[in-house]
Amino acid sequence: MNLGSVLILTCTLVVDTSWATKADQPPKPPCRPGFSESFYTVFVSRDLLQGQNILKDTTLSSERVKFDDCQHSKAVDFESSDPNFSVRPDGSVYAEQEVANLSDPVQFMVTARGGHDPHIWETTVKLALAGHPPSVPVSQIGVEDMIARAWDSNPRVIKFPRKHQRSSSANGLRRQKRDWVIPPINVPENSRGPFPQMLVRIRSDQDLEKGIRYSITGAGADQPPIDVYNIDPVHGKMFVTRPLDREERASYHLRAHAVDMNGNKVESPIDLYIYVIDMNDNRPEFQNQVYNGSVAEGSKPGTLVMQVTANDSDDDTTANGMVRYRILSQTPHMPIPNMFTINSETGDIFTVAAGLDREKVSQYTIIVQATDMEGNLNFGLSNTATALISVTDINDNPPELTARTFSGEVPENRVNVVVANLTVIDRDQPHSPNWAAQYRIASGDPQGHFLIRTNPVNNDGMVTVVKPVDYEQNRAFMLTVIVSNKAPLASGIQSSLQSSAGVTISVQDVNEPPVFPSNPKSIRFEEGVPAGTTLTVFAAQDPDLFIHQTVRYSKLSDPANWLRINRTNGQITTMAVLDRESMYVRNNIYEATFLAADNGKSGSPPASGTGTLQIHLIDVNDNAPVLLPKEAQVCERASPRSRVNITASDADADPHVGPFVFELPSYPPSVRRNWTASRISGDYAQLRLRIPYLDAGVYDVPIIVSDSGNPPLSNRSMIKVKVCPCDDNGDCTTTGAVAAAGLGTGAIIAILICIIILLTMVLVFVMWMKRREKERQAKPLLIDPEDDVRDNILKYDEEGGGEEDQDYDLSQLQQPEALDHIICKPTGVRRVDERPVIAESQYPIRPSLPHPGDIGDFINDGLRAADNDPTAPPYDSLLVFDYEGSGSTAGSVSSLNSSSSGDQDYDYLNDWGPRFKKLADLYGGGDDD
């Protein structure tokens, strides 16, 4: 390649200055200046080395690397650490000098500086020839040789360069450029040391003139990760302090500084680019330890089954990260040991042989190995994973019945019973559409007596009776059954001869009940036929043709009890007159139900059947019409409102009903004199006053109504017409309504008298109840005083104060000598503990010889006098004393105890009289307990 020729790479650095956003776009995350990637690998085609510029930016827009300084500035300068390559402002990389070949990958650092920002952004670009093998086979290069080639044993000496300013030209001020660019420093990862290990020596041309102190800054020196590199400040020797790991960080960018002893800058800082050379220190790692795939049975060779993927953290542009796949083992080895193969580069697994059969092998276990170093087993690192390949089912096995013939039996007239069970074998996947069986009756059942349902658990066919069979018509059925799957058979698979079979169904004879040929049976008769008339013969037939049985008849339902049936021959006769107008007749039809039962020979129980007889009754004119309405109301003066519309009701049917004829009888003569009837239509007439005025009252007007029967029937009906005075609207007034109701003065008086008598009876009853209540309250209490629970609390006097309580006024407890202050007290005010000084009440004197019946009256009179006597004790139950005080000179009596060592005997309480009887019962312990 000639000097100055432009080499446009597949990966282009693009400055992103698209900062304008639309209002309808969602908010973007905060901008972070820098490159989108920290490391880029670019494969250069051989055509580019021959001078053919075939790659364009427009066709590689998806592969561009974007840089954004977040200041919307287009003034971004790019610099390359390799003098052979440069970067244009638009981001394209081109060759500055002649490039002989790219047999060995070239790696350099690209630096971006903004026009208004002092920060520096870096990224690494690695160029490699696409599809070019290494100059020396990897297998021939040992690890020590690779380290020796990557790391020169004689460290280089890097001097600070001299700089000059380029003159301005007509194109404007050009950028400042160094005389040379320091080549990158390559350091292999995972070095064993010893550490610190020297990399390069940095020196200044002025170190002979003055004392120089060297230092380095940047990520890896004074920035995280700190102290990876250090420098001898006097001699300028730069060291690495520990092993490096390319997978953690692939490159470092440091700056070297030189200052004098006073800290003044002697040289401008120089950029040092350190690249970590990859070593094969990472095994390929599968994304999953177990992969699951599937392939249909019977698949052709070359069918894609699944893909396995392994990732290697080493550099994938070198053999360290190039992974190759191979199959180590297959289990089981059926039908051959190598049923599958794998694409060594992509990891796709394919079938290589025919013969996959799920019924023989349902799953294969494949052990896959991934090896880096392009699959070199001597130098590469390997890892394994398991691929489980399930063979999916197709319908390649038709269902087969286990026998050529099946048999079963069924009693006649039974439905929804399973009469035969058909067993089938299907080697396809159980409970799948390829396995599920469907049964079809091909012949032998033209009337559809049977249906075959599939048992979902075991796939058997259940022959079920869905329509009753008759032994007298068919004693056996010969069915032809065909079985198939829900899913169609796979291509090229033929049905088996065992997919069909014969089924023999025997019908068992049972005692069937007698059957009425016509059920229900309909006959027609005129109503009114006399009792004893023969209507019909309602006989039943016995379906059991091969068994001679006797049939007997009985009546099951006869609502009106009009019919009788002969027990032997089923002849129906009447027991009463048939009436079409009866409440038991619906729509001119009378229904009766009869029972026919056989005698149940041949060890079978008797069977019975029912039949319904429907008698259609033909109507005859046997009901006279009835006048409607029964009551009406007219005004006392002849007017258009003094008319009543009348009609008639006839229980018969047409033509024995209307049109009706309405006429007034000639007797009594007042009817035709006061009233007249005129016909309105066939079923309606109008009754109105003939005279101008008729006294108010209630009138019974007879009317003769005749129907249209042949011969016609007539009926003399009475209509009650109320004649009353009317207002202007033609309505009866209140007075007129009363008068029309027929209540005269005598009737009103009688009603009032009844009301008064009723009120008097209620008043007498209330007075009697009150008097009875008073007598019940005045009745003496016939109860033993000792058992009276109304007065069980007895109050006694208090003891008084103790010995030390001597400070109260005893005069308050003494009887006063003078009673004037008591007598002079106002009425109603007195001391509560003194006897009132008033005249004592007079108590009744008991007669010397009282009658036994007067004892109760005497006691009640004495009790009543005592309750009303204010001088009778007790005067009051409330006695107030002063405070007793605390303590006592007599000492405590709590130490006293009973002299008796045993139980106390309280039987002596029984001798103290009736007042101590209850106390004796409590403490005496008598036999009453």
Side-chain angles (χ1 to χ4, degrees):
M1 184 177 291
N2 296 328
L3 182 63
S5 62
V6 178
L7 178 62
I8 301 178
L9 305 178
T10 60
C11 187
T12 306
L13 304 180
V14 180
V15 180
D16 186 4
T17 58
S18 57
W19 53 270
T21 59
K22 297 182 180 180
D24 55 349
Q25 292 181 350
K28 294 184 178 180
C31 179
R32 295 181 179 179
F35 290 98
S36 60
E37 299 290 341
S38 62
F39 192 90
Y40 299 97
T41 301
V42 181
F43 293 95
V44 181
S45 174
R46 294 174 180 270
D47 297 336
L48 294 180
L49 296 180
Q50 298 174 3
Q52 298 179 9
N53 185 6
I54 62 174
L55 299 177
K56 303 298 182 180
D57 293 342
T58 56
T59 60
L60 299 174
S61 59
S62 62
E63 301 180 13
R64 293 182 179 182
V65 179
K66 295 183 179 181
F67 173 80
D68 188 2
D69 63 352
C70 299
Q71 296 180 357
H72 319 303
S73 173
K74 296 184 180 179
V76 179
D77 293 333
F78 297 99
E79 292 184 2
S80 172
S81 63
D82 192 332
N84 294 327
F85 300 95
S86 297
V87 182
R88 289 176 176 173
D90 61 354
S92 61
V93 179
Y94 63 96
E96 285 279 4
Q97 300 178 11
E98 181 179 358
V99 179
N101 57 58
L102 289 176
S103 58
D104 294 329
V106 176
Q107 185 170 295
F108 56 91
M109 186 79 71
V110 176
T111 304
R113 290 183 175 87
H116 304 283
D117 196 333
H119 289 86
I120 298 175
W121 295 275
E122 301 171 347
T123 187
T124 302
V125 178
K126 186 174 184 179
L127 304 179
L129 183 61
H132 183 73
S135 57
V136 180
V138 177
S139 60
Q140 299 178 9
I141 302 176
V143 176
E144 299 296 335
D145 293 338
M146 295 177 63
I147 297 177
R149 292 185 181 185
W151 198 344
D152 191 358
S153 60
N154 296 320
R156 294 176 294 175
V157 177
I158 300 176
K159 293 184 178 181
F160 284 90
R162 303 271 73 81
K163 298 182 181 179
H164 65 275
Q165 291 284 347
R166 289 192 179 185
S167 60
S168 59
S169 63
N171 294 333
L173 182 64
R174 299 181 63 184
R175 68 181 176 87
Q176 189 181 32
K177 188 173 182 180
R178 295 190 179 103
D179 290 342
W180 73 64
V181 177
I182 305 301
I185 304 171
N186 296 323
V187 181
E189 65 173 336
N190 303 325
S191 174
R192 296 183 179 180
F195 295 99
Q197 192 164 11
M198 182 178 173
L199 299 180
V200 294
R201 180 183 177 187
I202 300 173
R203 63 179 296 271
S204 174
D205 294 341
Q206 303 181 35
D207 58 354
L208 299 177
E209 303 174 359
K210 59 180 72 174
I212 303 299
R213 293 294 181 264
Y214 302 97
S215 64
I216 56 175
T217 60
D222 59 345
Q223 298 177 12
I226 300 176
D227 295 334
V228 177
Y229 304 96
N230 58 25
I231 190 170
D232 185 346
V234 176
H235 300 94
K237 295 181 179 180
M238 181 176 170
F239 300 91
V240 59
T241 62
R242 56 177 179 262
L244 303 180
D245 188 355
R246 191 201 67 86
E247 287 70 41
E248 293 182 0
R249 191 178 181 96
S251 63
Y252 296 87
H253 178 202
L254 303 178
R255 306 199 79 182
H257 306 270
V259 297
D260 58 13
M261 301 301 294
N262 296 324
N264 299 320
K265 182 172 68 173
V266 176
E267 301 283 355
S268 297
I270 61 174
D271 293 321
L272 301 177
Y273 296 94
I274 303 174
Y275 296 107
V276 182
I277 304 303
D278 181 49
M279 305 298 292
N280 190 20
D281 58 342
N282 291 278
R283 293 180 179 273
E285 296 292 339
F286 284 95
Q287 294 180 355
N288 300 304
Q289 195 60 36
V290 178
Y291 290 84
N292 292 286
S294 62
V295 61
E297 61 176 334
S299 296
K300 297 179 179 180
T303 303
L304 177 63
V305 179
M306 59 189 301
Q307 183 186 32
V308 296
T309 304
N311 298 321
D312 197 315
S313 299
D314 292 326
D315 189 358
D316 57 358
T317 62
T318 65
N320 298 335
M322 295 181 181
V323 180
R324 297 296 182 263
Y325 304 92
R326 71 189 188 102
I327 295 178
L328 295 182
S329 65
Q330 167 193 310
T331 305
H333 297 172
M334 294 177 58
I336 60 175
N338 299 318
M339 289 294 296
F340 303 94
T341 185
I342 188 169
N343 188 308
S344 61
E345 295 184 0
T346 62
D348 294 332
I349 299 177
F350 299 88
T351 59
V352 295
L356 290 175
D357 191 350
R358 190 205 64 84
E359 288 72 37
K360 295 180 179 179
V361 179
S362 62
Q363 187 181 71
Y364 289 90
T365 301
I366 305 297
I367 304 300
V368 180
Q369 183 185 55
T371 307
D372 57 15
M373 298 298 291
E374 296 183 292
N376 191 308
L377 299 178
N378 295 326
F379 300 98
L381 301 178
S382 301
N383 210 338
T384 61
T386 302
L388 301 179
I389 302 176
S390 299
V391 182
T392 59
D393 183 49
I394 64 173
N395 193 10
D396 58 343
N397 294 280
E400 298 178 352
L401 293 166
T402 59
R404 297 294 298 169
T405 59
F406 295 88
S407 62
E409 58 183 14
V410 57
E412 61 176 335
N413 301 322
R414 294 283 300 277
V415 293
N416 295 326
V417 293
V418 178
V419 297
N421 197 59
L422 311 181
T423 56
V424 68
I425 296 177
D426 195 317
R427 291 184 294 272
D428 290 321
Q429 180 69 38
H431 305 288
S432 67
N434 300 329
W435 172 83
Q438 292 179 332
Y439 298 87
R440 179 174 59 90
I441 299 176
S443 62
D445 185 22
Q447 298 181 355
H449 291 283
F450 303 96
L451 178 66
I452 303 179
R453 298 185 175 96
T454 303
N455 190 327
V457 177
N458 53 21
N459 218 21
D460 290 349
M462 301 178 294
V463 183
T464 307
V465 181
V466 294
K467 185 178 180 181
V469 295
D470 191 355
Y471 174 81
E472 285 71 27
Q473 295 181 1
N474 292 296
R475 297 187 181 184
F477 291 87
M478 301 295 296
L479 308 179
T480 301
V481 177
I482 298 177
V483 61
S484 61
N485 291 125
K486 289 185 178 180
L489 292 175
S491 178
I493 305 300
Q494 301 295 329
S495 299
S496 173
L497 296 177
Q498 297 181 356
S499 296
S500 62
V503 181
T504 303
I505 306 297
S506 300
V507 181
Q508 296 178 345
D509 187 23
V510 297
N511 185 22
E512 299 178 82
V515 179
F516 290 91
S518 299
N519 193 11
K521 182 177 181 180
S522 298
I523 60 175
R524 297 175 64 89
F525 265 89
E526 285 188 354
E527 64 173 332
V529 295
T533 303
T534 300
L535 300 181
T536 185
V537 176
F538 196 26
Q541 298 177 358
D542 192 350
D544 298 317
L545 302 179
F546 304 100
I547 303 176
H548 180 70
Q549 298 182 106
T550 302
V551 179
R552 292 292 182 264
Y553 302 93
S554 61
K555 187 169 59 174
L556 189 62
S557 173
D558 184 12
N561 199 23
W562 287 345
L563 307 176
R564 179 189 298 111
I565 187 170
N566 189 292
R567 285 182 51 82
T568 58
N569 57 14
Q571 181 176 340
I572 307 279
T573 57
T574 61
M575 295 190 304
V577 178
L578 304 183
D579 186 7
R580 191 195 68 85
E581 290 76 30
S582 172
M583 59 181 295
Y584 302 105
V585 178
R586 298 289 185 270
N587 298 324
N588 301 330
I589 296 176
Y590 179 76
E591 287 188 355
T593 305
F594 299 93
L595 183 70
D598 57 24
N599 55 356
K601 289 184 178 181
S602 300
S604 300
S608 61
T610 59
T612 301
L613 178 65
Q614 294 180 343
I615 305 175
H616 185 87
L617 296 177
I618 302 173
D619 183 45
V620 297
N621 192 17
D622 58 346
N623 292 279
V626 178
L627 183 67
L628 295 175
K630 299 297 183 181
E631 296 181 355
Q633 178 178 290
V634 299
C635 297
E636 60 184 357
R637 298 186 180 276
S639 65
R641 299 181 181 276
S642 300
R643 301 177 181 180
V644 178
N645 291 333
I646 57 177
T647 184
S649 174
D650 198 325
D652 293 324
D654 191 66
H656 304 299
V657 289
F660 299 105
V661 177
F662 302 90
E663 57 181 350
L664 299 176
S666 58
Y667 183 84
S670 60
V671 175
R672 292 192 174 184
R673 183 175 64 252
N674 298 333
W675 306 92
T676 181
S678 59
R679 185 185 183 120
I680 299 178
S681 62
D683 295 334
Y684 290 91
Q686 193 175 75
L687 177 66
R688 65 179 185 274
L689 289 176
R690 179 186 291 273
I691 57 178
Y693 175 81
L694 184 63
D695 293 337
V698 179
Y699 298 87
D700 292 330
V701 180
I703 298 178
I704 300 176
V705 184
S706 302
D707 58 21
S708 298
N710 185 18
L713 294 181
S714 300
N715 182 27
R716 180 186 175 99
S717 301
M718 196 72 66
I719 180 172
K720 188 181 293 295
V721 181
K722 298 179 182 179
V723 181
C724 61
C726 297
D727 53 14
D728 295 338
N729 297 325
D731 299 328
C732 285
T733 61
T734 305
T735 306
V738 174
L743 296 178
T745 305
I748 296 175
I749 294 174
I751 293 174
L752 294 176
I753 292 174
C754 292
I755 294 174
I756 293 173
I757 293 174
L758 181 61
L759 294 176
T760 302
M761 293 176 62
V762 172
L763 182 61
V764 170
F765 178 75
V766 172
M767 294 177 64
W768 177 75
M769 290 296 295
K770 288 186 176 181
R771 182 173 181 182
R772 183 179 179 184
E773 182 66 20
K774 289 182 179 180
E775 291 179 354
R776 187 180 63 83
Q777 293 178 357
K779 186 176 181 180
L781 183 62
L782 300 179
I783 188 170
D784 189 358
E786 293 183 1
D787 297 331
D788 188 6
V789 298
R790 294 177 299 172
D791 192 14
N792 286 341
I793 299 177
L794 301 178
K795 193 170 184 66
Y796 298 92
D797 291 340
E798 300 292 338
E799 279 187 358
E803 291 83 359
E804 295 180 358
D805 189 11
Q806 304 295 334
D807 297 333
Y808 51 83
D809 187 6
L810 297 178
S811 62
Q812 295 184 6
L813 303 177
Q814 297 177 354
Q815 181 69 25
E817 299 177 356
L819 302 178
D820 296 339
H821 65 286
I822 298 177
I823 299 175
C824 297
K825 285 184 178 181
T827 305
V829 180
R830 64 183 180 87
R831 287 187 59 171
V832 297
D833 57 347
E834 295 179 357
R835 177 178 179 176
V837 185
I838 55 178
E840 297 182 356
S841 301
Q842 298 296 325
Y843 289 87
I845 301 175
R846 181 179 179 184
S848 58
L849 297 174
H851 190 274
D854 297 335
I855 296 177
D857 295 339
F858 174 76
I859 294 175
N860 290 331
D861 293 340
L863 179 61
R864 193 178 297 108
D867 291 339
N868 297 325
D869 185 10
T871 62
Y875 312 119
D876 199 292
S877 61
L878 180 62
L879 300 177
V880 182
F881 298 93
D882 287 344
Y883 176 70
E884 282 190 82
S886 61
S888 175
T889 57
S892 174
V893 296
S894 61
S895 62
L896 299 179
N897 196 358
S898 174
S899 60
S900 175
S901 60
D903 295 336
Q904 181 69 35
D905 186 9
Y906 295 98
D907 293 339
Y908 59 88
L909 296 176
N910 294 322
D911 302 332
W912 288 10
R915 291 184 179 272
F916 294 87
K917 184 177 183 301
K918 288 187 177 181
L919 190 62
D921 294 340
L922 292 175
Y923 291 93
D927 297 334
D928 295 341
D929 297 334

